[in-house]
Amino acid sequence: MRVLFTRTVCAALISIAGIGLAHAKAISEESALRTCQKALKTAARDPEKAVVPDVGAMRGGADRRFLWNANSKLIRMRNGLGAEVAVGALCVVDEDTGQIKLLTLDGKRISAS
């Protein structure tokens, strides 16, 4: 009887642990931000001169969302004439896969899955 009880308790604990792991975030906020920053710099005309500041993730939703705008911080990039300009961006990263789901720069969609 005791062995059966022990097995049942162990099975329940393993099941509960599995549920916790299933809902754990696969990518940290910092890793998601770095993924977005790298993608935005890659999209720039002059990636070495682009400045993509750190911003915090937006609240709500299941994904990691980062917004660069006048209310947070703007990105500094060179335009087609070589002048440095401030632009906004939105980056959405899937928490489970760590892949970018949506990337917009200056109101234009750069990528989406």
Side-chain angles (χ1 to χ4, degrees):
M1 182 81 162
R2 184 178 174 161
V3 172
L4 178 60
F5 176 76
T6 304
R7 286 184 183 164
T8 304
V9 170
C10 286
L13 290 174
I14 290 170
S15 177
I16 291 169
I19 290 170
L21 291 175
H23 294 292
K25 307 291 186 228
I27 188 169
S28 70
E29 182 176 323
E30 184 176 345
S31 293
L33 175 61
R34 300 295 171 242
T35 298
C36 291
Q37 289 172 319
K38 182 178 178 183
L40 288 164
K41 282 187 173 206
T42 300
R45 292 180 188 267
D46 190 354
E48 292 180 10
K49 303 263 186 191
V51 177
V52 184
D54 289 351
V55 293
M58 295 169 48
R59 300 285 181 236
D63 300 316
R64 304 281 185 181
R65 297 171 182 268
F66 301 94
L67 180 65
W68 290 265
N69 66 12
N71 294 328
S72 61
K73 297 176 183 175
L74 289 167
I75 298 169
R76 305 292 299 177
M77 294 185 171
R78 296 198 183 278
N79 65 12
L81 301 174
E84 187 176 291
V85 296
V87 295
L90 170 66
C91 182
V92 180
V93 177
D94 186 294
E95 285 185 338
D96 295 328
T97 65
Q99 299 295 313
I100 293 176
K101 292 174 77 173
L102 174 65
L103 183 65
T104 65
L105 180 61
D106 202 23
K108 297 173 187 76
R109 178 174 261 163
I110 302 298
S111 70
S113 56

XYZ file of all heavy atoms in Angstrom:
833
model
N 0.814 -1.185 0.000
C 0.000 0.000 0.000
C 0.864 1.257 0.000
O 0.566 2.207 -0.704
C -0.910 -0.045 1.234
C -1.845 1.104 1.320
S -3.243 0.790 0.265
C -4.375 1.907 0.892
N 1.919 1.244 0.811
C 2.795 2.412 0.890
C 3.500 2.665 -0.436
O 3.675 3.806 -0.848
C 3.810 2.210 2.018
C 4.680 3.409 2.201
C 5.624 3.249 3.325
N 6.494 4.394 3.327
C 7.199 4.780 4.327
N 7.163 4.119 5.444
N 7.963 5.835 4.239
N 3.926 1.618 -1.120
C 4.597 1.758 -2.420
C 3.643 2.380 -3.430
O 4.019 3.279 -4.191
C 5.121 0.389 -2.912
C 5.625 0.489 -4.326
C 6.190 -0.132 -1.984
N 2.406 1.943 -3.435
C 1.410 2.488 -4.349
C 1.188 3.977 -4.065
O 1.139 4.794 -4.975
C 0.094 1.716 -4.227
C -1.049 2.220 -5.104
C -0.641 2.137 -6.568
C -2.303 1.419 -4.856
N 1.078 4.333 -2.778
C 0.899 5.728 -2.397
C 2.094 6.575 -2.831
O 1.940 7.647 -3.386
C 0.700 5.838 -0.876
C 0.601 7.254 -0.384
C -0.557 7.978 -0.581
C 1.676 7.869 0.245
C -0.652 9.293 -0.140
C 1.589 9.179 0.683
C 0.418 9.892 0.487
N 3.305 6.045 -2.611
C 4.526 6.761 -2.987
C 4.591 6.974 -4.493
O 4.928 8.052 -4.966
C 5.773 6.003 -2.503
O 5.663 5.817 -1.093
C 7.042 6.763 -2.815
N 4.246 5.953 -5.253
C 4.249 6.078 -6.724
C 3.226 7.107 -7.184
O 3.475 7.890 -8.095
C 3.969 4.724 -7.368
C 5.123 3.797 -7.302
C 4.828 2.525 -8.030
N 5.942 1.607 -7.905
C 5.880 0.324 -8.169
N 4.748 -0.198 -8.596
N 6.931 -0.433 -8.026
N 2.069 7.108 -6.559
C 1.017 8.061 -6.922
C 1.459 9.486 -6.627
O 1.272 10.386 -7.443
C -0.284 7.742 -6.157
O -0.656 6.395 -6.419
C -1.406 8.668 -6.568
N 2.064 9.697 -5.465
C 2.553 11.033 -5.095
C 3.657 11.467 -6.056
O 3.670 12.607 -6.532
C 3.039 11.056 -3.630
C 3.763 12.355 -3.327
C 1.869 10.853 -2.684
N 4.588 10.571 -6.358
C 5.678 10.914 -7.286
C 5.126 11.262 -8.666
O 5.561 12.227 -9.291
C 6.667 9.759 -7.391
S 7.705 9.593 -5.935
N 4.162 10.481 -9.139
C 3.564 10.753 -10.447
C 2.872 12.114 -10.446
O 2.971 12.877 -11.414
C 2.573 9.652 -10.813
N 2.191 12.443 -9.362
C 1.518 13.739 -9.268
C 2.527 14.877 -9.257
O 2.331 15.900 -9.914
C 0.653 13.783 -8.004
N 3.619 14.724 -8.525
C 4.644 15.771 -8.483
C 5.306 15.960 -9.837
O 5.568 17.084 -10.264
C 5.698 15.440 -7.420
C 5.215 15.553 -5.970
C 6.310 15.068 -5.025
C 4.809 16.971 -5.644
N 5.574 14.877 -10.533
C 6.161 14.974 -11.880
C 5.196 15.683 -12.821
O 5.582 16.530 -13.614
C 6.549 13.581 -12.408
C 7.740 13.054 -11.607
C 6.859 13.624 -13.898
C 8.059 11.597 -11.859
N 3.924 15.361 -12.709
C 2.910 15.997 -13.541
C 2.843 17.495 -13.268
O 2.797 18.304 -14.185
C 1.548 15.353 -13.276
O 0.548 16.008 -14.015
N 2.845 17.876 -11.994
C 2.806 19.303 -11.628
C 4.064 20.013 -12.120
O 4.007 21.110 -12.655
C 2.640 19.463 -10.107
C 1.242 19.006 -9.702
C 2.883 20.903 -9.674
C 1.038 18.872 -8.210
N 5.215 19.376 -11.987
C 6.467 19.978 -12.461
C 6.418 20.180 -13.962
O 6.872 21.203 -14.482
C 7.657 19.101 -12.078
N 5.845 19.226 -14.686
C 5.720 19.346 -16.138
C 4.847 20.506 -16.541
O 5.120 21.219 -17.495
N 3.771 20.726 -15.794
C 2.887 21.862 -16.076
C 3.645 23.169 -15.881
O 3.557 24.077 -16.693
C 1.643 21.822 -15.163
C 0.744 20.652 -15.562
C 0.872 23.130 -15.230
C -0.371 20.367 -14.587
N 4.433 23.263 -14.822
C 5.215 24.474 -14.575
C 6.198 24.748 -15.687
O 6.366 25.865 -16.126
N 6.852 23.697 -16.181
C 7.813 23.871 -17.267
C 7.131 24.265 -18.559
O 7.667 25.030 -19.346
C 8.621 22.583 -17.468
C 9.597 22.236 -16.345
C 10.230 20.877 -16.615
C 10.646 23.300 -16.176
N 5.939 23.747 -18.775
C 5.222 24.059 -20.011
C 4.876 25.541 -20.085
O 4.788 26.110 -21.159
C 3.958 23.216 -20.113
N 4.675 26.178 -18.936
C 4.297 27.590 -18.932
C 5.478 28.517 -18.676
O 5.307 29.722 -18.618
C 3.205 27.828 -17.896
C 1.920 27.144 -18.250
N 1.162 27.526 -19.320
C 1.293 26.086 -17.703
C 0.113 26.745 -19.413
N 0.165 25.856 -18.435
N 6.657 27.974 -18.514
C 7.842 28.804 -18.297
C 8.197 29.535 -19.587
O 8.000 29.017 -20.673
C 9.012 27.940 -17.840
N 8.707 30.728 -19.454
C 9.114 31.508 -20.622
C 10.415 30.935 -21.176
O 11.377 30.759 -20.444
C 9.318 32.971 -20.237
C 8.147 33.600 -19.532
C 6.974 33.765 -20.437
C 5.874 34.532 -19.740
N 4.588 33.957 -19.842
N 10.416 30.651 -22.466
C 11.600 30.070 -23.089
C 12.677 31.116 -23.351
O 13.839 30.785 -23.443
C 11.210 29.371 -24.385
N 12.284 32.370 -23.467
C 13.257 33.424 -23.743
C 13.061 34.547 -22.729
O 11.941 34.933 -22.418
C 13.123 33.951 -25.195
C 14.261 34.914 -25.530
C 11.776 34.566 -25.435
C 14.356 35.273 -26.987
N 14.149 35.038 -22.211
C 14.069 36.127 -21.233
C 13.767 37.441 -21.949
O 13.947 37.574 -23.156
C 15.381 36.241 -20.464
O 16.401 36.724 -21.315
N 13.340 38.420 -21.182
C 13.070 39.741 -21.748
C 14.349 40.325 -22.356
O 14.323 40.904 -23.438
C 12.526 40.671 -20.669
C 12.167 42.040 -21.182
C 11.539 42.927 -20.120
O 10.774 42.429 -19.286
O 11.823 44.143 -20.145
N 15.459 40.154 -21.663
C 16.724 40.697 -22.163
C 17.141 40.031 -23.476
O 17.558 40.704 -24.414
C 17.831 40.538 -21.128
C 19.128 41.175 -21.584
C 20.219 41.122 -20.534
O 19.943 40.862 -19.358
O 21.380 41.364 -20.920
N 17.015 38.719 -23.555
C 17.376 38.010 -24.793
C 16.475 38.433 -25.949
O 16.933 38.610 -27.071
C 17.278 36.498 -24.594
O 18.246 36.054 -23.687
N 15.195 38.602 -25.655
C 14.255 39.044 -26.689
C 14.613 40.448 -27.164
O 14.601 40.731 -28.368
C 12.828 38.996 -26.152
N 14.959 41.335 -26.223
C 15.357 42.693 -26.588
C 16.600 42.674 -27.469
O 16.668 43.372 -28.485
C 15.612 43.534 -25.334
C 16.144 44.947 -25.570
C 15.163 45.790 -26.377
C 16.460 45.621 -24.241
N 17.591 41.879 -27.114
C 18.825 41.796 -27.914
C 18.532 41.273 -29.321
O 19.125 41.731 -30.303
C 19.866 40.909 -27.230
C 20.293 41.381 -25.861
C 21.022 42.724 -25.880
N 21.213 43.201 -24.511
C 20.700 44.316 -24.033
N 19.989 45.112 -24.797
N 20.914 44.675 -22.783
N 17.611 40.323 -29.430
C 17.209 39.795 -30.745
C 16.617 40.914 -31.591
O 16.953 41.058 -32.773
C 16.191 38.653 -30.570
O 16.807 37.589 -29.839
C 15.694 38.134 -31.906
N 15.755 41.734 -30.982
C 15.139 42.854 -31.698
C 16.179 43.892 -32.101
O 16.171 44.380 -33.244
C 14.072 43.509 -30.824
S 12.611 42.495 -30.558
N 17.057 44.230 -31.179
C 18.084 45.230 -31.472
C 18.967 44.784 -32.632
O 19.288 45.577 -33.526
C 18.924 45.508 -30.227
C 18.169 46.280 -29.165
C 18.917 46.385 -27.860
O 19.537 45.427 -27.408
N 18.854 47.552 -27.228
N 19.352 43.536 -32.641
C 20.194 43.011 -33.719
C 19.463 43.079 -35.060
O 20.026 43.503 -36.063
C 20.591 41.574 -33.397
C 21.505 40.962 -34.415
C 21.914 39.556 -34.016
C 22.801 38.936 -35.071
N 23.160 37.551 -34.743
N 18.180 42.701 -35.064
C 17.398 42.738 -36.303
C 17.221 44.165 -36.804
O 17.301 44.423 -38.013
C 16.044 42.075 -36.075
N 16.992 45.103 -35.892
C 16.820 46.499 -36.296
C 18.116 47.084 -36.844
O 18.106 47.821 -37.835
C 16.291 47.327 -35.131
C 14.825 47.052 -34.778
C 14.479 47.597 -33.407
C 13.913 47.640 -35.854
N 19.236 46.768 -36.225
C 20.524 47.243 -36.742
C 20.798 46.654 -38.121
O 21.303 47.343 -39.008
C 21.652 46.886 -35.775
C 21.707 47.803 -34.588
C 22.935 47.533 -33.752
C 23.047 48.572 -32.673
N 24.390 48.798 -32.220
N 20.457 45.395 -38.304
C 20.655 44.744 -39.600
C 19.825 45.423 -40.686
O 20.256 45.529 -41.830
C 20.283 43.251 -39.505
O 21.120 42.635 -38.524
C 20.454 42.542 -40.831
N 18.636 45.910 -40.317
C 17.755 46.566 -41.286
C 18.202 47.991 -41.623
O 17.721 48.578 -42.595
C 16.333 46.594 -40.743
N 19.113 48.547 -40.848
C 19.562 49.930 -41.054
C 20.448 50.050 -42.295
O 21.132 49.101 -42.676
C 20.337 50.410 -39.825
N 20.449 51.229 -42.890
C 21.329 51.495 -44.045
C 22.795 51.442 -43.626
O 23.639 51.032 -44.394
C 21.025 52.865 -44.641
C 19.677 52.958 -45.289
C 19.463 54.364 -45.846
N 18.114 54.536 -46.298
C 17.711 54.320 -47.543
N 18.557 53.911 -48.450
N 16.454 54.509 -47.874
N 23.080 51.893 -42.424
C 24.440 51.897 -41.888
C 24.400 51.233 -40.505
O 24.347 51.911 -39.482
C 24.943 53.345 -41.790
C 26.419 53.424 -41.470
O 27.044 52.374 -41.205
O 26.954 54.543 -41.458
N 24.413 49.888 -40.461
C 24.247 49.160 -39.203
C 25.249 49.537 -38.115
O 24.903 49.540 -36.937
C 24.419 47.695 -39.603
C 24.121 47.652 -41.053
C 24.548 48.988 -41.599
N 26.478 49.876 -38.494
C 27.495 50.214 -37.496
C 27.201 51.520 -36.775
O 27.599 51.718 -35.644
C 28.872 50.266 -38.149
C 29.350 48.897 -38.598
C 30.722 48.961 -39.256
O 31.374 50.007 -39.196
O 31.119 47.936 -39.821
N 26.491 52.420 -37.423
C 26.185 53.722 -36.826
C 24.800 53.763 -36.169
O 24.484 54.705 -35.455
C 26.244 54.813 -37.891
C 27.573 54.904 -38.601
C 28.420 55.951 -38.000
C 29.652 56.037 -38.892
N 30.704 56.750 -38.461
N 23.976 52.753 -36.405
C 22.623 52.727 -35.832
C 22.695 52.557 -34.318
O 23.485 51.775 -33.805
C 21.819 51.589 -36.451
N 21.841 53.307 -33.626
C 21.760 53.226 -32.165
C 20.345 52.785 -31.809
O 19.382 53.516 -32.039
C 22.078 54.589 -31.506
C 21.919 54.499 -29.999
C 23.476 55.052 -31.894
N 20.245 51.584 -31.260
C 18.956 51.038 -30.857
C 18.990 50.910 -29.330
O 19.536 49.950 -28.797
C 18.687 49.670 -31.521
C 17.293 49.174 -31.160
C 18.850 49.745 -33.035
N 18.414 51.893 -28.624
C 18.515 51.903 -27.159
C 17.692 50.786 -26.502
O 16.765 50.237 -27.110
C 17.959 53.274 -26.773
C 17.070 53.663 -27.896
C 17.649 53.026 -29.131
N 18.050 50.486 -25.262
C 17.283 49.526 -24.474
C 15.932 50.142 -24.107
O 15.857 51.323 -23.755
C 18.005 49.175 -23.175
C 19.255 48.326 -23.399
O 19.480 47.866 -24.537
O 20.001 48.107 -22.432
N 14.882 49.357 -24.225
C 13.547 49.734 -23.752
C 12.974 48.522 -23.022
O 13.399 47.389 -23.246
C 12.601 50.150 -24.910
C 13.065 51.431 -25.564
C 12.456 49.046 -25.933
N 12.017 48.772 -22.164
C 11.371 47.681 -21.455
C 10.279 47.054 -22.302
O 9.748 47.683 -23.214
N 9.961 45.809 -21.978
C 8.894 45.116 -22.696
C 7.551 45.730 -22.315
O 7.342 46.168 -21.188
C 8.913 43.629 -22.361
N 6.644 45.751 -23.270
C 5.295 46.243 -23.026
C 4.523 45.186 -22.248
O 4.752 43.995 -22.413
C 4.595 46.541 -24.355
C 5.239 47.655 -25.126
S 4.656 47.824 -26.828
C 2.909 47.769 -26.701
N 3.606 45.603 -21.417
C 2.792 44.692 -20.618
C 1.634 44.139 -21.448
O 1.141 44.797 -22.349
C 2.218 45.419 -19.405
C 3.271 45.986 -18.502
C 3.920 44.879 -17.687
N 4.927 45.441 -16.802
C 6.180 45.041 -16.800
N 6.588 44.113 -17.605
N 7.042 45.584 -15.968
N 1.219 42.923 -21.118
C 0.071 42.311 -21.776
C 0.473 41.450 -22.949
O 1.524 41.629 -23.553
N -0.357 40.480 -23.223
C -0.088 39.584 -24.344
C 0.863 38.473 -23.956
O 1.503 38.515 -22.911
N 0.944 37.491 -24.807
C 1.758 36.313 -24.518
C 3.182 36.449 -25.048
O 4.042 35.662 -24.692
C 1.102 35.079 -25.122
N 3.427 37.417 -25.892
C 4.740 37.572 -26.501
C 5.508 38.715 -25.859
O 4.961 39.523 -25.137
C 4.594 37.837 -28.006
C 3.881 36.707 -28.711
O 4.196 35.543 -28.419
O 3.004 36.988 -29.544
N 6.799 38.765 -26.162
C 7.636 39.893 -25.714
C 7.490 40.995 -26.758
O 7.786 40.801 -27.934
C 9.097 39.471 -25.607
C 9.339 38.289 -24.711
C 9.322 38.709 -23.275
N 9.688 37.568 -22.431
C 9.745 37.630 -21.139
N 9.472 38.741 -20.520
N 10.063 36.569 -20.438
N 7.025 42.168 -26.345
C 6.796 43.291 -27.256
C 7.635 44.487 -26.821
O 7.608 44.865 -25.653
C 5.320 43.692 -27.256
C 4.410 42.613 -27.754
C 2.949 42.971 -27.519
N 2.094 41.894 -27.955
C 1.582 41.808 -29.170
N 1.798 42.754 -30.047
N 0.840 40.785 -29.496
N 8.319 45.074 -27.783
C 9.162 46.238 -27.501
C 8.764 47.356 -28.461
O 8.595 47.131 -29.658
C 10.639 45.888 -27.678
C 11.083 44.766 -26.776
C 11.075 43.463 -27.227
C 11.477 45.021 -25.476
C 11.465 42.413 -26.402
C 11.870 43.983 -24.636
C 11.861 42.688 -25.100
N 8.640 48.560 -27.917
C 8.220 49.703 -28.709
C 9.196 50.848 -28.503
O 9.479 51.240 -27.374
C 6.804 50.137 -28.289
C 6.209 51.331 -29.024
C 6.006 51.012 -30.503
C 4.881 51.711 -28.381
N 9.708 51.342 -29.606
C 10.560 52.536 -29.589
C 9.723 53.658 -30.189
O 9.344 53.601 -31.356
C 11.816 52.321 -30.432
C 12.780 51.350 -29.837
C 13.861 51.648 -29.062
C 12.780 49.921 -29.974
N 14.516 50.498 -28.697
C 13.875 49.418 -29.249
C 11.951 49.002 -30.630
C 14.176 48.061 -29.160
C 12.236 47.652 -30.544
C 13.337 47.198 -29.813
N 9.407 54.660 -29.375
C 8.626 55.796 -29.873
C 8.932 57.038 -29.038
O 9.799 57.001 -28.173
C 7.121 55.479 -29.885
C 6.530 55.286 -28.503
O 7.148 55.592 -27.491
N 5.324 54.753 -28.452
N 8.197 58.113 -29.279
C 8.446 59.369 -28.570
C 8.184 59.248 -27.073
O 8.725 60.019 -26.288
C 7.580 60.482 -29.161
N 7.374 58.278 -26.651
C 7.090 58.096 -25.233
C 8.133 57.231 -24.531
O 8.142 57.160 -23.313
C 5.711 57.465 -25.041
C 4.610 58.398 -25.488
O 4.735 59.599 -25.389
N 3.539 57.826 -26.000
N 8.958 56.548 -25.289
C 10.023 55.739 -24.678
C 11.358 56.299 -25.146
O 11.799 57.323 -24.654
C 9.861 54.258 -25.041
O 9.942 54.066 -26.443
N 11.953 55.664 -26.083
C 13.197 56.140 -26.703
C 13.109 55.852 -28.192
O 12.552 54.845 -28.599
C 14.411 55.410 -26.123
C 14.615 55.646 -24.639
C 15.769 54.831 -24.122
C 15.918 55.015 -22.621
N 16.949 54.146 -22.069
N 13.660 56.725 -28.974
C 13.680 56.527 -30.425
C 15.011 55.931 -30.863
O 16.024 56.066 -30.185
C 13.435 57.848 -31.146
C 12.005 58.384 -31.031
C 11.943 59.828 -31.500
C 11.047 57.519 -31.835
N 14.981 55.292 -32.003
C 16.175 54.716 -32.611
C 16.831 55.792 -33.469
O 16.147 56.581 -34.117
C 15.778 53.501 -33.477
C 15.152 52.430 -32.585
C 16.957 52.961 -34.254
C 14.496 51.310 -33.357
N 18.137 55.832 -33.472
C 18.871 56.790 -34.308
C 19.515 56.031 -35.461
O 20.293 55.106 -35.247
C 19.955 57.500 -33.502
C 19.481 58.192 -32.231
C 18.611 59.369 -32.445
N 19.285 60.412 -33.191
C 18.715 61.538 -33.565
N 17.463 61.764 -33.254
N 19.377 62.440 -34.230
N 19.145 56.420 -36.697
C 19.679 55.775 -37.905
C 19.917 56.814 -38.980
O 19.335 57.893 -38.952
C 18.689 54.738 -38.448
C 18.461 53.568 -37.577
S 17.382 52.396 -38.421
C 17.509 51.019 -37.319
N 20.724 56.450 -39.935
C 20.965 57.326 -41.085
C 19.897 57.069 -42.136
O 19.532 55.935 -42.404
C 22.345 57.082 -41.666
C 23.446 57.429 -40.681
C 24.773 57.614 -41.390
N 25.820 57.865 -40.439
C 26.083 59.053 -39.894
N 25.365 60.089 -40.222
N 27.070 59.194 -39.041
N 19.423 58.152 -42.744
C 18.443 57.999 -43.822
C 19.166 57.884 -45.161
O 20.397 57.806 -45.215
C 17.432 59.154 -43.810
C 18.058 60.500 -44.110
O 19.208 60.597 -44.546
N 17.300 61.564 -43.873
N 18.415 57.901 -46.247
C 18.989 57.762 -47.584
C 19.933 58.879 -47.971
O 20.787 58.708 -48.838
N 19.824 60.040 -47.318
C 20.700 61.177 -47.602
C 21.928 61.203 -46.692
O 22.765 62.093 -46.800
C 19.917 62.483 -47.454
C 18.700 62.630 -48.363
C 17.926 63.886 -48.017
C 19.134 62.634 -49.820
N 22.002 60.232 -45.762
C 23.140 60.168 -44.852
C 22.967 60.952 -43.572
O 23.869 60.992 -42.741
N 21.809 61.599 -43.411
C 21.549 62.358 -42.185
C 21.023 61.417 -41.099
O 20.243 60.513 -41.381
C 20.527 63.453 -42.450
N 21.452 61.658 -39.865
C 20.963 60.851 -38.760
C 19.569 61.318 -38.371
O 19.341 62.508 -38.179
C 21.906 60.962 -37.564
C 21.544 60.025 -36.438
C 22.533 60.086 -35.299
O 23.686 59.629 -35.486
O 22.155 60.607 -34.236
N 18.632 60.381 -38.284
C 17.250 60.707 -37.942
C 16.759 59.781 -36.825
O 17.287 58.694 -36.630
C 16.307 60.594 -39.167
C 16.673 61.614 -40.233
C 16.338 59.197 -39.741
N 15.721 60.242 -36.127
C 15.093 59.428 -35.088
C 13.895 58.711 -35.704
O 13.096 59.323 -36.417
C 14.642 60.317 -33.939
N 13.792 57.420 -35.447
C 12.684 56.629 -35.981
C 12.107 55.739 -34.884
O 12.786 55.388 -33.927
C 13.113 55.758 -37.189
C 13.517 56.622 -38.363
C 14.224 54.812 -36.820
N 10.852 55.370 -35.071
C 10.182 54.466 -34.149
C 10.203 53.051 -34.700
O 10.444 52.825 -35.893
N 9.941 52.101 -33.824
C 9.916 50.697 -34.238
C 9.071 49.896 -33.264
O 8.844 50.299 -32.125
C 11.327 50.136 -34.302
N 8.628 48.745 -33.734
C 7.917 47.768 -32.916
C 8.505 46.408 -33.223
O 8.716 46.060 -34.388
C 6.420 47.765 -33.240
C 5.599 46.620 -32.631
C 5.551 46.739 -31.108
C 4.209 46.591 -33.211
N 8.770 45.644 -32.172
C 9.309 44.302 -32.351
C 8.544 43.358 -31.425
O 8.404 43.636 -30.232
C 10.801 44.283 -32.017
S 11.581 42.672 -32.272
N 8.040 42.263 -31.989
C 7.308 41.255 -31.228
C 8.051 39.940 -31.364
O 8.287 39.457 -32.475
C 5.860 41.102 -31.745
C 5.106 40.035 -30.946
C 5.124 42.438 -31.693
N 8.422 39.362 -30.216
C 9.169 38.103 -30.191
C 8.308 37.021 -29.549
O 7.732 37.227 -28.487
C 10.488 38.270 -29.392
C 11.236 36.951 -29.307
C 11.357 39.336 -30.024
N 8.231 35.870 -30.198
C 7.512 34.723 -29.654
C 8.252 34.223 -28.417
O 9.435 33.905 -28.491
C 7.429 33.617 -30.710
C 6.582 32.449 -30.264
O 6.990 31.760 -29.305
O 5.541 32.209 -30.885
N 7.574 34.166 -27.275
C 8.228 33.757 -26.031
C 8.696 32.310 -26.055
O 9.659 31.964 -25.399
C 7.273 33.945 -24.848
C 7.106 35.373 -24.456
C 6.257 35.527 -23.221
O 5.466 34.628 -22.894
O 6.387 36.562 -22.566
N 8.005 31.463 -26.784
C 8.359 30.044 -26.806
C 9.543 29.743 -27.715
O 10.419 28.969 -27.358
C 7.158 29.200 -27.227
C 6.026 29.258 -26.210
O 6.325 29.385 -25.002
O 4.855 29.194 -26.620
N 9.567 30.350 -28.884
C 10.611 30.024 -29.864
C 11.763 31.026 -29.872
O 12.840 30.712 -30.358
C 10.022 29.982 -31.286
O 9.570 31.288 -31.651
C 8.884 28.974 -31.390
N 11.517 32.247 -29.391
C 12.542 33.277 -29.438
C 12.674 33.913 -30.814
O 13.577 34.718 -31.048
N 11.764 33.604 -31.720
C 11.799 34.145 -33.085
C 10.969 35.420 -33.171
O 9.956 35.568 -32.483
C 11.230 33.119 -34.076
C 11.993 31.818 -34.115
C 13.406 32.005 -34.639
O 13.630 32.663 -35.646
N 14.359 31.436 -33.928
N 11.382 36.329 -34.024
C 10.640 37.571 -34.240
C 9.373 37.254 -35.027
O 9.435 36.643 -36.096
C 11.495 38.611 -34.977
C 12.648 39.052 -34.076
C 10.641 39.808 -35.401
C 13.619 40.003 -34.724
N 8.243 37.668 -34.472
C 6.956 37.474 -35.138
C 6.586 38.684 -35.990
O 5.929 38.551 -37.006
C 5.851 37.231 -34.115
C 5.973 35.923 -33.381
C 4.944 35.787 -32.287
C 3.591 35.437 -32.818
N 2.634 35.156 -31.718
N 7.001 39.872 -35.528
C 6.680 41.105 -36.240
C 7.763 42.127 -35.968
O 8.200 42.287 -34.828
C 5.325 41.656 -35.772
C 4.912 43.019 -36.315
C 4.694 42.954 -37.822
C 3.663 43.510 -35.616
N 8.194 42.803 -37.015
C 9.188 43.860 -36.877
C 8.794 44.995 -37.803
O 8.666 44.794 -39.014
C 10.582 43.339 -37.239
C 11.741 44.315 -37.068
C 11.927 44.687 -35.605
C 13.025 43.712 -37.609
N 8.563 46.174 -37.217
C 8.284 47.357 -38.034
C 9.323 48.418 -37.703
O 9.781 48.526 -36.576
C 6.869 47.926 -37.777
O 6.782 48.403 -36.441
C 5.794 46.887 -38.029
N 9.675 49.176 -38.702
C 10.643 50.249 -38.562
C 10.116 51.460 -39.288
O 9.834 51.388 -40.486
C 11.997 49.826 -39.139
C 13.129 50.837 -39.070
C 13.448 51.209 -37.628
C 14.380 50.280 -39.745
N 9.932 52.555 -38.552
C 9.406 53.792 -39.108
C 8.071 53.557 -39.804
O 7.812 54.081 -40.885
C 10.427 54.413 -40.068
C 10.207 55.906 -40.264
O 9.597 56.547 -39.378
O 10.636 56.435 -41.299
N 7.238 52.713 -39.191
C 5.898 52.439 -39.713
C 5.823 51.431 -40.844
O 4.738 51.135 -41.333
N 6.953 50.893 -41.248
C 6.969 49.924 -42.354
C 7.297 48.537 -41.817
O 8.251 48.379 -41.063
C 7.977 50.325 -43.418
C 7.656 51.641 -44.068
C 8.793 52.072 -44.993
C 8.583 53.456 -45.533
N 8.869 54.509 -44.553
N 6.535 47.550 -42.255
C 6.776 46.179 -41.824
C 8.072 45.665 -42.456
O 8.249 45.688 -43.665
C 5.610 45.292 -42.232
C 5.791 43.850 -41.859
C 4.577 43.043 -42.139
N 3.891 42.927 -40.869
C 2.634 42.566 -40.721
N 1.904 42.323 -41.774
N 2.113 42.453 -39.538
N 8.982 45.222 -41.597
C 10.256 44.679 -42.064
C 10.146 43.167 -42.200
O 10.582 42.590 -43.179
C 11.404 45.033 -41.081
C 11.536 46.528 -40.889
C 12.726 44.410 -41.529
C 11.886 47.299 -42.138
N 9.562 42.533 -41.183
C 9.404 41.084 -41.251
C 8.229 40.652 -40.400
O 7.837 41.337 -39.468
C 10.667 40.375 -40.775
O 10.818 40.536 -39.377
N 7.696 39.524 -40.738
C 6.625 38.888 -39.949
C 6.632 37.413 -40.314
O 6.962 37.038 -41.428
C 5.281 39.506 -40.274
N 6.295 36.605 -39.339
C 6.249 35.170 -39.628
C 4.852 34.749 -39.989
O 3.931 35.479 -39.928
C 6.753 34.380 -38.427
O 6.007 34.703 -37.274
